[in-house]
């Protein structure tokens, strides 16, 4: 169920690393890569009136996990993104925990 959104990266970079990243994250979370969703969100950041392509933002929506899992997932995302897009100088990885009692899939509580 983890849902990952990425902003600030070229679409081609996300497409190229998507399969390997999701397999790595599934292994860390002891899950199935097919349960992950990865979205590329086109965006343009500006600093001082100019386009700034040095910043990447990654958001993860998922059910609460152990802090050690958060760290390992953040490290894998950071490594994957910086290898694919070495021009970046800033990456923010944010975990947004979902409340299972407020989450539905196919009309059923998750």
């Amino acid at each position: 169920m983890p849902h990952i959104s990425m902003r600030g990266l070229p679409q081609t970079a996300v497409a190229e690393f998507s399969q390997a990243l999701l397999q790595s994250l599934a292994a860390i979370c002891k899950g199935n890569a097919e349960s992950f969703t990865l979205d590329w969100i086109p965006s343009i950041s500006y600093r001082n009136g100019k386009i700034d392509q040095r910043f990447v933002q990654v958001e993860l929506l998922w059910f609460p996990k152990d802090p050690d899992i958060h760290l390992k997932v953040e490290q894998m995302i950071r490594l994957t993104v910086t290898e694919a897009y070495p021009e970046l100088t800033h990456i923010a990885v944010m975990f947004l925990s979902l409340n299972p009692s407020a989450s539905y899939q196919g009309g059923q509580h998750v």
Side-chain angles (χ1 to χ4, degrees), residues 21-33 36 69:
L21 175 62
L22 295 183
Q23 288 175 349
S24 295
L25 296 180
I28 292 168
C29 295
K30 295 180 175 56
N32 182 340
F36 284 77
I69 298 293

Side-chain angles (χ1 to χ4, degrees), residues 16-83:
E16 287 174 11
F17 66 62
S18 62
Q19 183 177 6
L21 175 62
L22 295 183
Q23 288 175 349
S24 295
L25 296 180
I28 292 168
C29 295
K30 295 180 175 56
N32 182 340
E34 294 297 318
S35 68
F36 284 77
T37 301
L38 175 59
D39 290 340
W40 169 75
I41 300 174
S43 67
I44 300 172
S45 294
Y46 293 90
R47 303 276 187 280
N48 301 317
K50 296 180 181 175
I51 293 176
D52 184 353
Q53 296 179 308
R54 301 170 299 151
F55 185 81
V56 170
Q57 181 176 314
V58 180
E59 297 175 357
L60 284 90
L61 296 172
W62 65 358
F63 295 114
K65 305 265 188 279
D66 181 90
D68 187 51
I69 298 293
H70 282 226
L71 178 61
K72 289 176 182 175
V73 166
E74 189 280 338
Q75 290 171 337
M76 179 55 65
I77 290 171
R78 180 176 298 276
L79 175 65
T80 301
V81 169
T82 55
E83 285 180 351

